[in-house]
Short mmCIF file of all heavy atoms in Angstrom, two decimals:
data_model
loop_
_atom_site.label_atom_id
_atom_site.label_comp_id
_atom_site.label_asym_id
_atom_site.label_seq_id
_atom_site.Cartn_x
_atom_site.Cartn_y
_atom_site.Cartn_z
N GLY A 43 -13.40 4.01 2.57
CA GLY A 43 -12.06 3.54 2.33
C GLY A 43 -12.05 2.01 2.29
O GLY A 43 -12.34 1.35 3.30
N GLU A 44 -11.75 1.46 1.14
CA GLU A 44 -11.77 0.02 0.96
C GLU A 44 -10.30 -0.54 1.00
O GLU A 44 -9.38 0.13 0.46
CB GLU A 44 -12.37 -0.37 -0.42
CG GLU A 44 -13.74 0.09 -0.59
CD GLU A 44 -14.22 -0.17 -2.05
OE1 GLU A 44 -13.65 -1.00 -2.72
OE2 GLU A 44 -15.18 0.52 -2.41
N ILE A 45 -10.13 -1.72 1.53
CA ILE A 45 -8.82 -2.33 1.50
C ILE A 45 -8.69 -2.98 0.14
O ILE A 45 -9.47 -3.89 -0.24
CB ILE A 45 -8.70 -3.42 2.65
CG1 ILE A 45 -8.81 -2.74 4.00
CG2 ILE A 45 -7.36 -4.19 2.52
CD1 ILE A 45 -8.92 -3.70 5.14
N PRO A 46 -7.65 -2.56 -0.64
CA PRO A 46 -7.44 -3.19 -1.97
C PRO A 46 -7.09 -4.73 -1.76
O PRO A 46 -6.24 -5.07 -1.01
CB PRO A 46 -6.25 -2.53 -2.51
CG PRO A 46 -6.10 -1.24 -1.69
CD PRO A 46 -6.70 -1.53 -0.39
N ASN A 47 -7.80 -5.51 -2.47
CA ASN A 47 -7.58 -6.97 -2.38
C ASN A 47 -8.08 -7.62 -3.71
O ASN A 47 -9.26 -7.91 -3.85
CB ASN A 47 -8.34 -7.56 -1.20
CG ASN A 47 -8.00 -9.03 -0.98
OD1 ASN A 47 -7.20 -9.57 -1.73
ND2 ASN A 47 -8.58 -9.61 0.04
N THR A 48 -7.15 -7.81 -4.60
CA THR A 48 -7.48 -8.37 -5.92
C THR A 48 -7.37 -9.91 -5.96
O THR A 48 -7.83 -10.49 -6.88
CB THR A 48 -6.55 -7.77 -7.00
OG1 THR A 48 -5.21 -8.15 -6.70
CG2 THR A 48 -6.71 -6.27 -7.11
N LYS A 49 -6.80 -10.44 -4.96
CA LYS A 49 -6.58 -11.89 -4.84
C LYS A 49 -5.70 -12.45 -5.97
O LYS A 49 -5.73 -13.61 -6.32
CB LYS A 49 -7.89 -12.66 -4.78
CG LYS A 49 -8.71 -12.26 -3.56
CD LYS A 49 -9.98 -13.13 -3.54
CE LYS A 49 -10.88 -12.99 -2.38
NZ LYS A 49 -10.91 -11.99 -1.47
N ARG A 50 -4.93 -11.55 -6.57
CA ARG A 50 -3.95 -11.99 -7.59
C ARG A 50 -2.68 -12.53 -6.88
O ARG A 50 -2.41 -12.25 -5.76
CB ARG A 50 -3.53 -10.82 -8.50
CG ARG A 50 -4.68 -10.26 -9.31
CD ARG A 50 -4.13 -9.16 -10.13
NE ARG A 50 -5.25 -8.42 -10.82
CZ ARG A 50 -5.15 -7.33 -11.45
NH1 ARG A 50 -3.97 -6.70 -11.49
NH2 ARG A 50 -6.19 -6.80 -12.03
N LEU A 51 -1.94 -13.35 -7.64
CA LEU A 51 -0.71 -13.85 -7.11
C LEU A 51 0.29 -12.75 -6.82
O LEU A 51 0.85 -12.71 -5.75
CB LEU A 51 -0.09 -14.86 -8.10
CG LEU A 51 0.37 -16.18 -7.60
CD1 LEU A 51 -0.59 -16.83 -6.61
CD2 LEU A 51 0.71 -17.09 -8.74
N LYS A 52 0.43 -11.88 -7.79
CA LYS A 52 1.33 -10.71 -7.60
C LYS A 52 0.49 -9.53 -7.09
O LYS A 52 -0.53 -9.21 -7.72
CB LYS A 52 2.02 -10.38 -8.96
CG LYS A 52 2.95 -9.21 -8.89
CD LYS A 52 3.57 -8.94 -10.25
CE LYS A 52 4.52 -7.79 -10.14
NZ LYS A 52 5.08 -7.43 -11.42
N LYS A 53 0.98 -8.88 -6.02
CA LYS A 53 0.24 -7.73 -5.50
C LYS A 53 0.25 -6.56 -6.48
O LYS A 53 1.21 -6.29 -7.17
CB LYS A 53 0.86 -7.23 -4.18
CG LYS A 53 0.63 -8.28 -3.07
CD LYS A 53 1.24 -7.77 -1.79
CE LYS A 53 1.06 -8.79 -0.71
NZ LYS A 53 1.63 -8.43 0.54
N THR A 54 -0.87 -5.84 -6.53
CA THR A 54 -0.99 -4.68 -7.33
C THR A 54 -0.38 -3.45 -6.66
O THR A 54 -0.05 -3.50 -5.43
CB THR A 54 -2.49 -4.36 -7.60
OG1 THR A 54 -3.07 -3.97 -6.32
CG2 THR A 54 -3.25 -5.54 -8.24
N VAL A 55 -0.17 -2.34 -7.42
CA VAL A 55 0.37 -1.14 -6.88
C VAL A 55 -0.50 -0.64 -5.69
O VAL A 55 -0.01 -0.24 -4.66
CB VAL A 55 0.50 -0.07 -7.94
CG1 VAL A 55 0.79 1.29 -7.40
CG2 VAL A 55 1.62 -0.46 -8.92
N GLY A 56 -1.82 -0.68 -5.88
CA GLY A 56 -2.76 -0.30 -4.80
C GLY A 56 -2.61 -1.11 -3.56
O GLY A 56 -2.63 -0.51 -2.49
N GLU A 57 -2.48 -2.38 -3.74
CA GLU A 57 -2.32 -3.24 -2.54
C GLU A 57 -0.96 -2.98 -1.81
O GLU A 57 -0.94 -2.89 -0.61
CB GLU A 57 -2.36 -4.74 -2.95
CG GLU A 57 -3.71 -5.20 -3.33
CD GLU A 57 -3.74 -6.58 -3.98
OE1 GLU A 57 -2.85 -6.84 -4.84
OE2 GLU A 57 -4.60 -7.34 -3.66
N ILE A 58 0.07 -2.78 -2.60
CA ILE A 58 1.38 -2.46 -1.97
C ILE A 58 1.34 -1.13 -1.26
O ILE A 58 1.77 -1.02 -0.10
CB ILE A 58 2.48 -2.50 -3.05
CG1 ILE A 58 2.70 -3.96 -3.60
CG2 ILE A 58 3.81 -1.95 -2.50
CD1 ILE A 58 3.54 -3.98 -4.81
N GLN A 59 0.82 -0.13 -1.93
CA GLN A 59 0.75 1.20 -1.28
C GLN A 59 -0.08 1.14 -0.03
O GLN A 59 0.24 1.77 0.99
CB GLN A 59 0.25 2.23 -2.27
CG GLN A 59 1.24 2.58 -3.33
CD GLN A 59 0.73 3.53 -4.38
OE1 GLN A 59 -0.47 3.80 -4.53
NE2 GLN A 59 1.60 4.14 -5.15
N PHE A 60 -1.19 0.49 -0.04
CA PHE A 60 -2.05 0.38 1.15
C PHE A 60 -1.28 -0.25 2.31
O PHE A 60 -1.32 0.20 3.41
CB PHE A 60 -3.34 -0.36 0.86
CG PHE A 60 -4.21 -0.44 2.04
CD1 PHE A 60 -5.07 0.56 2.35
CD2 PHE A 60 -4.21 -1.61 2.86
CE1 PHE A 60 -5.90 0.49 3.49
CE2 PHE A 60 -5.02 -1.69 3.98
CZ PHE A 60 -5.85 -0.62 4.34
N GLU A 61 -0.61 -1.37 2.00
CA GLU A 61 0.19 -2.08 3.03
C GLU A 61 1.24 -1.24 3.62
O GLU A 61 1.54 -1.29 4.80
CB GLU A 61 0.75 -3.38 2.48
CG GLU A 61 -0.32 -4.47 2.26
CD GLU A 61 0.19 -5.71 1.65
OE1 GLU A 61 1.45 -5.81 1.48
OE2 GLU A 61 -0.60 -6.61 1.35
N LEU A 62 1.92 -0.41 2.76
CA LEU A 62 2.94 0.44 3.26
C LEU A 62 2.43 1.57 4.10
O LEU A 62 3.07 2.00 5.13
CB LEU A 62 3.77 1.05 2.08
CG LEU A 62 4.63 0.07 1.32
CD1 LEU A 62 5.18 0.68 0.03
CD2 LEU A 62 5.78 -0.46 2.19
N LEU A 63 1.26 2.13 3.76
CA LEU A 63 0.72 3.27 4.48
C LEU A 63 -0.16 2.94 5.69
O LEU A 63 -0.20 3.72 6.67
CB LEU A 63 -0.08 4.15 3.48
CG LEU A 63 0.74 4.86 2.45
CD1 LEU A 63 -0.16 5.59 1.43
CD2 LEU A 63 1.69 5.87 3.09
N ASN A 64 -0.97 1.87 5.56
CA ASN A 64 -1.92 1.57 6.58
C ASN A 64 -1.20 1.31 7.96
O ASN A 64 -0.43 0.34 8.05
CB ASN A 64 -2.78 0.39 6.17
CG ASN A 64 -3.92 0.15 7.17
OD1 ASN A 64 -4.53 1.06 7.67
ND2 ASN A 64 -4.15 -1.11 7.44
N GLY A 65 -1.50 2.10 8.91
CA GLY A 65 -0.88 1.91 10.23
C GLY A 65 0.48 2.51 10.36
O GLY A 65 1.19 2.33 11.38
N HIS A 66 0.98 3.15 9.32
CA HIS A 66 2.32 3.78 9.34
C HIS A 66 2.23 5.26 8.94
O HIS A 66 2.88 5.78 8.00
CB HIS A 66 3.21 3.01 8.30
CG HIS A 66 3.32 1.56 8.55
ND1 HIS A 66 4.09 1.05 9.56
CD2 HIS A 66 2.70 0.52 7.95
CE1 HIS A 66 3.96 -0.27 9.56
NE2 HIS A 66 3.16 -0.63 8.59
N ASP A 67 1.42 6.00 9.74
CA ASP A 67 1.25 7.41 9.49
C ASP A 67 2.56 8.17 9.54
O ASP A 67 3.35 7.95 10.48
CB ASP A 67 0.28 8.04 10.55
CG ASP A 67 -1.13 7.43 10.52
OD1 ASP A 67 -1.43 6.68 9.49
OD2 ASP A 67 -1.88 7.65 11.42
N TYR A 68 2.75 8.97 8.59
CA TYR A 68 3.92 9.89 8.49
C TYR A 68 5.28 9.15 8.44
O TYR A 68 6.25 9.72 8.88
CB TYR A 68 3.85 10.91 9.63
CG TYR A 68 2.52 11.62 9.73
CD1 TYR A 68 1.71 11.42 10.84
CD2 TYR A 68 2.07 12.39 8.71
CE1 TYR A 68 0.48 12.07 10.92
CE2 TYR A 68 0.85 13.03 8.78
CZ TYR A 68 0.03 12.85 9.88
OH TYR A 68 -1.16 13.46 9.95
N LYS A 69 5.28 7.99 7.94
CA LYS A 69 6.55 7.23 7.78
C LYS A 69 7.18 7.54 6.44
O LYS A 69 8.44 7.55 6.37
CB LYS A 69 6.31 5.74 7.95
CG LYS A 69 7.56 4.89 7.74
CD LYS A 69 7.30 3.44 7.96
CE LYS A 69 8.57 2.64 7.75
NZ LYS A 69 8.37 1.20 7.90
N TYR A 70 6.38 7.76 5.39
CA TYR A 70 6.91 7.95 4.03
C TYR A 70 6.59 9.31 3.47
O TYR A 70 5.56 9.89 3.70
CB TYR A 70 6.25 6.89 3.10
CG TYR A 70 6.55 5.48 3.44
CD1 TYR A 70 5.67 4.71 4.16
CD2 TYR A 70 7.75 4.89 3.06
CE1 TYR A 70 5.91 3.38 4.47
CE2 TYR A 70 8.05 3.57 3.40
CZ TYR A 70 7.11 2.81 4.11
OH TYR A 70 7.38 1.52 4.41
N THR A 71 7.55 9.82 2.69
CA THR A 71 7.28 10.94 1.80
C THR A 71 6.74 10.34 0.49
O THR A 71 6.76 9.11 0.32
CB THR A 71 8.52 11.78 1.49
OG1 THR A 71 9.45 10.93 0.78
CG2 THR A 71 9.18 12.30 2.76
N GLN A 72 6.26 11.15 -0.40
CA GLN A 72 5.85 10.61 -1.70
C GLN A 72 6.95 9.93 -2.44
O GLN A 72 6.77 8.81 -2.95
CB GLN A 72 5.25 11.71 -2.54
CG GLN A 72 4.83 11.20 -3.97
CD GLN A 72 4.14 12.20 -4.81
OE1 GLN A 72 3.02 12.13 -5.08
NE2 GLN A 72 4.91 13.28 -5.26
N GLU A 73 8.12 10.53 -2.39
CA GLU A 73 9.29 9.86 -3.07
C GLU A 73 9.58 8.52 -2.46
O GLU A 73 9.75 7.51 -3.22
CB GLU A 73 10.54 10.75 -2.88
CG GLU A 73 10.79 11.76 -3.95
CD GLU A 73 12.07 12.52 -3.68
OE1 GLU A 73 12.95 12.15 -2.82
OE2 GLU A 73 12.25 13.57 -4.39
N ASP A 74 9.62 8.45 -1.14
CA ASP A 74 9.91 7.18 -0.44
C ASP A 74 8.81 6.16 -0.79
O ASP A 74 9.17 4.97 -1.08
CB ASP A 74 9.88 7.37 1.06
CG ASP A 74 10.97 8.22 1.56
OD1 ASP A 74 12.02 8.44 0.89
OD2 ASP A 74 10.77 8.83 2.70
N LEU A 75 7.58 6.53 -0.77
CA LEU A 75 6.45 5.60 -1.01
C LEU A 75 6.47 5.14 -2.54
O LEU A 75 6.35 3.91 -2.71
CB LEU A 75 5.10 6.31 -0.77
CG LEU A 75 3.94 5.42 -1.00
CD1 LEU A 75 3.89 4.25 -0.05
CD2 LEU A 75 2.64 6.23 -0.81
#
C-alpha cells in the first residue's frame, strides 16, 4: 500500500481519497466518499 503523492499543485483523486480514508475507518460510504 503506497501513499499517493504526485507532488502536483492540485491534488489528484487518488491523493484526496487516500487522505479521506486513511485513519478514518468506517467514516464514509462509497456515495459519501
Side-chain angles (χ1 to χ4, degrees):
E44 301 172 21
I45 298 172
N47 187 0
T48 60
K49 298 186 180 10
R50 294 181 188 170
L51 226 43
K52 182 180 177 184
K53 290 182 182 177
T54 65
V55 167
E57 289 170 317
I58 293 168
Q59 288 176 343
F60 181 82
E61 288 176 5
L62 290 171
L63 291 174
N64 188 40
H66 303 284
D67 297 348
Y68 309 115
K69 179 177 179 181
Y70 297 99
T71 63
Q72 177 175 248
E73 272 182 11
D74 296 338
L75 181 63

